[in-house]
Amino acid sequence: MAKIKNVVILGDSMSDIGNKWIWPSGQVGRLFGRMRVNETGRFSDGKNWTDFLVEWSTGEALMWGNSDLTIRKSTDYRTLSNYSVLDVDPGDKPPQMKSWRSLDDCLKQLNQEKTQSTKPVNLPERIKYVNYAMGGCIATRDWTIAPKFGALSYLRGQVEDYIGQRKALDTQFAGPTLHVVWIGLNDFVTAERPDYDPAKVPNAPATNDYAAWRAWSQAHPGELRNGEGAYPAVEETRSLIELIVSSFPGTKADQYFMVIDLPSVYNAIRYMDGIAEPDKVEQAKTIDPVISRYNGILKSLVLNWPDPTAAAAPAQGHVHLVEMSKWMNHISQNLDVWHLSKKAQDPGVKPFYDAGIPPAPQQDPVAEDVRRRITTSDLGHPTQAVYSLIARYFVTKLLKSGHTLGRLDNDTWSKGAPFSDQPFDIPS
């Protein structure tokens, strides 16, 4: 459908490349041991799925060298500017290290390359990339009191930052743009947002049909209870997608969206029967059904967008759903196929930089068994090994939607994807 030129990531800790880490509430959380990230600010023992997307599509790595260089380099992609560009290496070699006297020299050269007024004839194509995702972000804004005493942020803030920064770039930001939206786990897991109680809200639809929920909310506004229900989270997602479309008149044909649904909490060690935290088992029984409700309503929205001809609505066929819930269930049911183990890592596992600057080790000192456990030591977030499979499925769906991104197309993907001998989609 489109050769994507720009990628915008919106979401929470699953996609965060360091935004929460430097945020005031994140700094406080780290101080009191309430937030576990690795030394680069990612909720992973290494890379997250967006890091793999960057590497596979461009050949350039955000996580490389050492922690200082990774943090400095990632900074260019946490806000949208002239520096938020990635060169696409048309080859199939992994990112290569260069020699610099210091990190400052490295970043100076990178910035000079990105802002050249004239491009050499042989300069590869470029992709603009920006990642606003922040750990602790939620979709809904209808809470009487901000959840967790204000420690959680709202997706709308990310969207507003993006719109403002994109407008500032004006014509320097153009072409087919893919917006990736993955949000909601903090609404239902961290903030424990419950579904509507039928005894208190007897008129609420029993179906997952988005149109039915929208009609009900308009007919019974007084029954929308603050801090409850899956529908408001879906409705906010719809509202923000339409805000993006309406903010850039005349570019509707270039605005694309991929919305990712939510995996079951039973994919995390924390919520598995009898493992690590048994008290979480009962909590999971109330969380998982509302996540399923959210996923159902979200799917209905994407398949049947309301008022599709309205000026603010995305162009027909420009919004796709990635059912990560089904993929993660598939992974969990076939851990051996993916060389994973149903364990959590011990605290202190550090990232390994594929091309490390000395004294960084040149070989990963962490045992393969530890790397391929399914969650980090926080018992909730995926390890780098699992994130690579999340990214694998996202790319598969990206290509099935008709898009290409950098050096990712159907030919290169079938040959170069991890576990290329395994099915790319969920077996029927």
Side-chain angles (χ1 to χ4, degrees):
M1 183 179 293
K3 185 174 180 62
I4 300 299
K5 298 296 185 184
N6 315 295
V7 177
V8 181
I9 306 291
L10 303 161
D12 56 26
S13 59
M14 298 290 282
S15 311
D16 191 344
I17 59 171
N19 289 306
K20 185 68 172 185
W21 192 54
I22 63 170
W23 205 252
S25 61
Q27 294 179 21
V28 172
R30 283 189 287 132
L31 180 64
F32 290 97
R34 302 294 297 173
M35 185 182 76
R36 297 185 195 175
V37 294
N38 67 30
E39 62 187 17
T40 72
R42 288 155 172 82
F43 292 77
S44 169
D45 61 314
K47 305 167 187 173
N48 68 26
W49 78 272
T50 66
D51 292 307
F52 286 105
L53 180 65
V54 167
E55 288 188 31
W56 296 342
S57 61
T58 69
E60 185 172 344
L62 297 189
M63 280 199 63
W64 58 295
N66 56 32
S67 59
D68 289 337
L69 183 53
T70 295
I71 293 166
R72 290 280 300 276
K73 190 171 184 184
S74 297
T75 299
D76 284 344
Y77 306 99
R78 292 192 280 104
T79 56
L80 182 60
S81 71
N82 285 324
Y83 299 136
S84 308
V85 293
L86 293 156
D87 287 339
V88 177
D89 182 349
D92 58 359
K93 294 182 180 179
Q96 299 295 307
M97 288 295 296
K98 300 177 183 179
S99 297
W100 291 282
R101 291 188 299 273
S102 67
L103 297 183
D104 287 334
D105 288 342
C106 168
L107 270 295
K108 181 178 180 180
Q109 180 175 334
L110 291 174
N111 292 340
Q112 286 176 342
E113 291 174 355
K114 292 175 181 180
T115 56
Q116 289 173 337
S117 57
T118 58
K119 297 195 298 184
V121 174
N122 62 347
L123 192 69
E125 67 171 299
R126 290 174 167 180
I127 292 173
K128 278 195 178 294
Y129 170 78
V130 61
N131 187 328
Y132 296 96
M134 182 176 290
C137 187
I138 59 177
T140 50
R141 297 180 299 135
D142 61 355
W143 307 84
T144 303
I145 301 175
K148 302 296 179 181
F149 307 100
L152 305 185
S153 59
Y154 298 111
L155 183 62
R156 184 168 290 267
Q158 296 180 28
V159 173
E160 290 173 347
D161 285 346
Y162 160 59
I163 290 172
Q165 291 163 14
R166 177 173 168 177
K167 286 184 175 180
L169 286 178
D170 196 20
T171 58
Q172 297 175 74
F173 189 101
T177 301
L178 178 66
H179 306 82
V180 182
V181 183
W182 195 3
I183 195 73
L185 280 173
N186 287 307
D187 293 76
F188 307 116
V189 178
T190 309
E192 300 180 31
R193 184 182 184 92
D195 207 350
Y196 290 121
D197 184 345
K200 298 178 181 179
V201 191
N203 295 319
T207 176
N208 288 339
D209 179 62
Y210 171 83
W213 278 96
R214 190 182 194 203
W216 171 78
S217 69
Q218 293 171 345
H220 304 87
E223 295 191 39
L224 288 169
R225 302 172 66 88
N226 287 348
E228 294 184 13
Y231 167 74
V234 177
E235 180 60 12
E236 180 72 354
T237 298
R238 179 204 62 79
S239 173
L240 293 175
I241 287 175
E242 294 194 349
L243 176 61
I244 291 171
V245 173
S246 63
S247 295
F248 304 100
T251 67
K252 185 171 182 175
D254 278 339
Q255 307 300 333
Y256 296 90
F257 300 85
M258 294 190 75
V259 184
I260 305 176
D261 75 359
L262 305 180
S264 166
V265 294
Y266 291 113
N267 291 298
I269 292 290
R270 174 171 287 134
Y271 296 98
M272 292 180 178
D273 289 347
I275 299 178
E277 297 185 10
D279 59 308
K280 295 290 185 180
V281 174
E282 288 301 313
Q283 184 182 7
K285 293 177 181 178
T286 61
I287 294 174
D288 223 46
V290 70
I291 286 178
S292 295
R293 171 84 73 186
Y294 169 85
N295 287 345
I297 300 174
L298 183 68
K299 182 175 182 178
S300 177
L301 166 66
V302 172
L303 294 179
N304 299 282
W305 202 272
D307 306 323
T309 60
Q316 290 187 313
H318 282 216
V319 184
H320 291 92
L321 179 69
V322 180
E323 293 185 273
M324 197 61 69
S325 56
K326 294 182 178 180
W327 178 248
M328 294 308 297
N329 286 342
H330 169 66
I331 295 295
S332 294
Q333 293 163 10
N334 299 276
L335 293 178
D336 289 345
V337 171
W338 307 101
H339 304 170
L340 299 170
S341 60
K342 190 188 292 186
K343 299 177 183 177
Q345 293 175 339
D346 295 329
V349 177
K350 292 187 176 183
F352 172 66
Y353 303 91
D354 295 333
I357 295 178
Q362 299 304 297
Q363 291 185 334
D364 192 351
V366 178
E368 183 74 1
D369 166 67
V370 175
R371 285 291 184 204
R372 300 206 69 80
R373 296 178 185 181
I374 62 172
T375 66
T376 64
S377 61
D378 71 4
L379 311 181
H381 286 94
T383 57
Q384 173 175 291
V386 177
Y387 276 123
S388 72
L389 299 178
I390 290 172
R392 181 184 187 273
Y393 189 63
F394 178 85
V395 171
T396 296
K397 289 301 179 181
L398 174 76
L399 298 176
K400 284 194 173 184
S401 298
H403 304 313
T404 60
L405 177 63
R407 60 187 196 178
L408 285 175
D409 57 34
N410 287 313
D411 290 336
T412 60
W413 186 235
S414 64
K415 301 172 184 175
F419 291 94
S420 58
D421 59 327
Q422 296 297 326
F424 286 88
D425 211 336
I426 304 166
S428 56

